[in-house]
């Protein structure tokens, strides 16, 4: 397993790599395309099964260019993980939870997390694969802790306002609330195939529906609140 390094672009080398595949010299666009294709490749096949050749072919680029931008297969895998978390946290930061009353803010956060996971199965599969790797690659990241600290801050702000207003019970840790939200919304996608086979009435050929959205919201609100009107 190779350590990750910051990506630096040599203005002389990049045009040569681009010329090799007939692409224009647009490093940002090329890297974004590589990350998009690599996300699905790693999510679908895992780190071991993913092939740089397949990613290069799907992006009309070359292995040389991919290694130039990301250093190695391991470097690309780590960049994919970081980008997946970055996208989620960026959207999360635009929810403007501070503008809502605590109960409404927590409901919005749960609904967003549920919808994000349901609609982004590649994200769930990436996280599952990284757990198989025992988190070794995320541990190398210089950015992942900072990216995900914003999620805990968001929960803490909502929870502390709720406690102050008397609608949330005291004594909970923000990370426990975040874990509960993640547990329900993650399971909804990660186990939908096995759950669907075992309990055939729950099977869904398209979107994950192991747990209904409104039920997940109610479970979290009841966990955090003194009382919730059903």
């Amino acid at each position: 397993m190779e350590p990750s390094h910051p990506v630096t672009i040599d203005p002389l080398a990049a045009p040569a790599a681009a010329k090799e595949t007939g692409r224009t010299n647009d490093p940002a666009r090329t890297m974004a395309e590589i990350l998009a294709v690599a996300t699905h490749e790693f999510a679908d096949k895992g780190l071991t099964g993913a092939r740089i050749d397949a990613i290069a072919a799907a992006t009309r680029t070359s292995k040389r260019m991919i290694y130039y931008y990301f250093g190695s297969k391991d470097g690309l895998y780590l960049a994919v993980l970081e980008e997946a978390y970055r996208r989620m946290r960026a959207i999360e930061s635009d929810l403007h939870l501070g503008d809502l009353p605590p109960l409404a803010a927590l409901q919005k956060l749960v609904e967003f997390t549920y919808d994000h996971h349901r609609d982004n199965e590649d994200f769930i599969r990436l996280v599952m694969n990284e757990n198989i790797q025992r988190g070794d690659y995320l541990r190398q990241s210089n950015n992942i802790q900072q990216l995900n600290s914003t999620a805990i801050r968001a929960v803490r702000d909502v929870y502390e306002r709720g406690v102050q207003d008397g609608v949330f019970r005291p004594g909970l840790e923000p990370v426990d609330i975040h874990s509960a939200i993640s547990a329900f919304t993650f399971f909804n996608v990660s186990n939908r195939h096995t759950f669907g086979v075992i309990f055939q009435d729950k099977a869904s050929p398209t979107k994950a529906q192991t747990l209904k959205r409104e039920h997940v919201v109610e479970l979290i609100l009841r966990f955090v609140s003194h009382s919730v009107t059903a």
Side-chain angles (χ1 to χ4, degrees):
M1 180 168 57
E2 301 177 19
S4 60
H5 300 287
V7 175
T8 56
I9 298 175
D10 181 346
L12 298 178
K19 182 178 180 180
E20 179 181 302
T21 58
R23 295 178 63 90
T24 57
N25 180 26
D26 188 348
R29 179 180 175 183
T30 301
M31 292 173 70
E33 291 177 354
I34 292 169
L35 285 173
V37 172
T39 294
H40 184 68
E41 178 76 6
F42 284 121
D44 188 48
K45 300 175 183 175
L47 175 59
T48 303
R51 293 289 178 263
I52 296 297
D53 285 332
I55 297 169
T59 55
R60 297 177 294 111
T61 184
S62 65
K63 291 175 66 174
R64 177 188 175 191
M65 183 175 287
I66 291 173
Y67 288 136
Y68 170 73
Y69 286 130
F70 299 99
S72 65
K73 182 181 179 181
D74 288 351
L76 176 58
Y77 172 73
L78 179 55
V80 163
L81 287 173
E82 290 182 337
E83 177 62 12
Y85 278 105
R86 187 202 64 77
R87 285 197 305 268
M88 181 180 181
R89 299 311 176 204
I91 301 171
E92 198 173 70
S93 67
D94 289 335
L95 296 178
H96 302 292
L97 300 177
D99 297 336
L100 299 172
L103 271 173
L106 183 57
Q107 177 174 340
K108 187 172 185 178
L109 179 60
V110 176
E111 290 173 342
F112 159 75
T113 309
Y114 183 100
D115 293 345
H116 174 275
H117 290 358
R118 179 198 60 200
D119 297 336
N120 293 274
E121 189 168 349
D122 278 355
F123 174 80
I124 302 300
R125 292 174 67 87
L126 283 171
V127 175
M128 292 168 66
N129 282 317
E130 180 58 12
N131 273 285
I132 292 174
Q133 302 295 331
R134 303 180 188 276
D136 288 342
Y137 286 84
L138 281 185
R139 196 172 292 113
Q140 298 178 57
S141 172
N142 297 321
N143 303 317
I144 207 68
Q145 294 295 331
Q146 181 178 356
L147 282 171
N148 287 289
S149 65
T150 61
I152 300 301
R153 284 201 302 270
V155 173
R156 178 181 291 111
D157 291 345
V158 170
Y159 174 66
E160 289 179 350
R161 288 196 293 117
V163 171
Q164 186 175 1
D165 291 353
V167 295
F168 293 162
R169 60 189 176 97
L172 298 176
E173 292 293 331
V175 70
D176 293 334
I177 300 171
H178 176 75
S179 296
I181 297 170
S182 296
F184 286 121
T185 56
F186 194 93
F187 173 89
N188 188 53
V189 183
S190 67
N191 286 48
R192 76 181 182 94
H193 297 291
T194 53
F195 204 84
V197 171
I198 297 168
F199 305 101
Q200 293 184 9
D201 61 319
K202 291 290 186 180
S204 172
T206 53
K207 297 295 185 181
Q209 296 179 15
T210 304
L211 294 167
K212 291 183 178 179
R213 187 176 188 252
E214 61 268 26
H215 292 171
V216 174
V217 170
E218 183 179 1
L219 284 164
I220 298 301
L221 293 183
R222 287 188 180 276
F223 169 56
V224 176
S225 303
H226 286 295
S227 62
V228 173
T229 302

